[in-house]
Amino acid sequence: MYFSLMIKVVFLGFGNVNQQLCRSLQKSDHVDVLQIYNRNSQVFSSEWKGFDFTTQLSEIKSADIYIVGITDDAIASFSETIPFRDRLVVHTSGSVSLKALSNHNKRGVFYPLQTFTKTQSVNFTNIPICIEAENASDLKLLHQLGSLLSENVTEVSSEAREKVHLAAVFVNNFVNHLYHISEELLTEHELDFKLLQPLIAETARKIKTLSPAEAQTGPAKRNDHKTIENHLHLLEGSPYIELYKMLTISIQEQFK
């Protein structure tokens, strides 16, 4: 896509998401990362030397887009403290409404649908970026910014984005927690979690071509009561026995 403009960006907050966005956007010839605001004078790694940091809201520079990357609960109150008016301020949260931002400024959302860790670089090319804004010109600007990162930029309302985020918690946070439980169960018997990695990879591969329902296997789906009872016996005294029962019943209800 051809861009005739340089998009000036200021990051407000510098947690996982904003660090990943900054790392990728600063590589573009069409983005000028003017400044990074962080509320404290935390020392960042040498990677960020040369960037203009400030801890003072009063020193924030004029930009085209201000990207708020802070905890969800703090977005509303923080946006009220921003000293300027009528500029485009967006947050990166999946679960927070656009209207949580102060109406002192033009409001928007720039939500990359991915899990981020500060120490792990990501390739944004295939990461969905959900955008939202209150007027057409701001939406166009967010689409231009998103297209510099990803091939998948989609307008998604706050109401729909909440549903997307809920679904994302199931497939990411909850599934990862199940990985953690599995690792504990193996470690108790001095077995390596790496034993499960080919199975995890194959499960993820299958749902690229099959629906989750089509890909479902296991004792709960086939009503293998003997195996289920044996698993429950192995889990006696475990804090995870009720979770096993709940998931088993959920699968059985789905396929009865």
Side-chain angles (χ1 to χ4, degrees), residues 54-69:
T54 182
T55 59
Q56 302 300 315
L57 286 171
S58 59
E59 296 177 355
I60 293 177
K61 296 178 178 178
S62 178
D64 300 306
I65 302 175
Y66 298 83
I67 301 178
V68 177

Side-chain angles (χ1 to χ4, degrees), residues 57-166:
L57 286 171
S58 59
E59 296 177 355
I60 293 177
K61 296 178 178 178
S62 178
D64 300 306
I65 302 175
Y66 298 83
I67 301 178
V68 177
I70 58 178
T71 59
D72 290 359
D73 290 345
I75 289 173
S77 58
F78 172 77
S79 68
E80 291 288 348
T81 68
I82 295 173
F84 48 77
R85 297 290 184 270
D86 300 319
R87 301 181 197 172
L88 179 56
V89 176
V90 305
H91 69 65
T92 60
S93 170
S95 62
V96 177
S97 170
L98 172 149
K99 292 184 178 179
L101 290 165
S102 169
N103 61 8
H104 296 155
N105 283 289
K106 296 183 289 182
R107 301 181 289 192
V109 176
F110 193 83
Y111 168 52
L113 180 50
Q114 185 55 277
T115 177
F116 295 103
T117 304
K118 289 179 185 178
T119 56
Q120 300 291 318
S121 295
V122 298
N123 181 353
F124 276 89
T125 304
N126 296 314
I127 294 175
I129 296 180
C130 304
I131 60 171
E132 184 182 12
E134 293 179 300
N135 63 67
S137 61
D138 291 337
L139 192 65
K140 180 180 179 181
L141 183 59
L142 290 179
H143 196 282
Q144 289 176 326
L145 183 68
S147 296
L148 292 170
L149 292 171
S150 173
E151 297 173 356
N152 187 353
V153 182
T154 308
E155 181 182 0
V156 181
S157 69
S158 288
E159 293 77 13
R161 184 165 33 82
E162 285 182 333
K163 303 297 193 302
V164 171
H165 188 263
L166 172 61

Side-chain angles (χ1 to χ4, degrees), residues 8-255:
K8 298 177 181 178
V9 175
V10 168
F11 288 98
L12 303 177
F14 211 49
N16 289 352
V17 178
N18 270 3
Q19 284 194 28
Q20 294 288 359
L21 287 173
C22 183
R23 185 175 286 121
S24 295
L25 285 173
Q26 60 91 20
K27 298 174 184 176
S28 172
D29 294 334
H30 302 285
V31 175
D32 185 3
V33 178
L34 292 181
Q35 194 177 41
I36 297 165
Y37 163 82
N38 203 55
R39 65 180 179 179
N40 57 50
S41 54
Q42 176 183 349
V43 177
F44 292 96
S45 68
S46 58
E47 175 186 3
W48 306 110
K49 285 183 178 178
F51 285 87
D52 182 7
F53 279 85
T54 182
T55 59
Q56 302 300 315
L57 286 171
S58 59
E59 296 177 355
I60 293 177
K61 296 178 178 178
S62 178
D64 300 306
I65 302 175
Y66 298 83
I67 301 178
V68 177
I70 58 178
T71 59
D72 290 359
D73 290 345
I75 289 173
S77 58
F78 172 77
S79 68
E80 291 288 348
T81 68
I82 295 173
F84 48 77
R85 297 290 184 270
D86 300 319
R87 301 181 197 172
L88 179 56
V89 176
V90 305
H91 69 65
T92 60
S93 170
S95 62
V96 177
S97 170
L98 172 149
K99 292 184 178 179
L101 290 165
S102 169
N103 61 8
H104 296 155
N105 283 289
K106 296 183 289 182
R107 301 181 289 192
V109 176
F110 193 83
Y111 168 52
L113 180 50
Q114 185 55 277
T115 177
F116 295 103
T117 304
K118 289 179 185 178
T119 56
Q120 300 291 318
S121 295
V122 298
N123 181 353
F124 276 89
T125 304
N126 296 314
I127 294 175
I129 296 180
C130 304
I131 60 171
E132 184 182 12
E134 293 179 300
N135 63 67
S137 61
D138 291 337
L139 192 65
K140 180 180 179 181
L141 183 59
L142 290 179
H143 196 282
Q144 289 176 326
L145 183 68
S147 296
L148 292 170
L149 292 171
S150 173
E151 297 173 356
N152 187 353
V153 182
T154 308
E155 181 182 0
V156 181
S157 69
S158 288
E159 293 77 13
R161 184 165 33 82
E162 285 182 333
K163 303 297 193 302
V164 171
H165 188 263
L166 172 61
V169 167
F170 273 91
V171 302
N172 175 235
N173 306 130
F174 289 172
V175 169
N176 191 73
H177 180 60
L178 295 178
Y179 292 162
H180 178 74
I181 291 172
S182 299
E183 184 178 41
E184 280 191 9
L185 293 172
L186 291 175
T187 301
E188 287 174 3
H189 298 281
E190 299 182 351
L191 294 167
D192 196 327
F193 181 70
K194 290 181 180 179
L195 284 168
L196 297 180
Q197 289 180 350
L199 176 62
I200 292 168
E202 175 62 11
T203 303
R205 186 198 66 79
K206 282 198 298 187
I207 60 170
K208 292 182 179 180
T209 55
L210 301 174
S211 72
E214 290 171 325
Q216 186 69 55
T217 61
K221 182 185 177 182
R222 61 178 183 265
N223 281 311
D224 182 348
H225 297 291
K226 184 176 180 180
T227 298
I228 292 169
E229 287 302 319
N230 184 54
H231 287 171
L232 291 173
H233 174 71
L234 292 171
L235 285 169
E236 282 183 8
S238 168
Y240 305 127
I241 190 169
E242 293 304 321
L243 180 59
Y244 182 97
K245 290 178 182 178
M246 289 172 60
L247 291 173
T248 296
I249 291 170
S250 180
I251 294 170
Q252 289 174 328
E253 288 292 317
Q254 193 75 36
F255 291 96

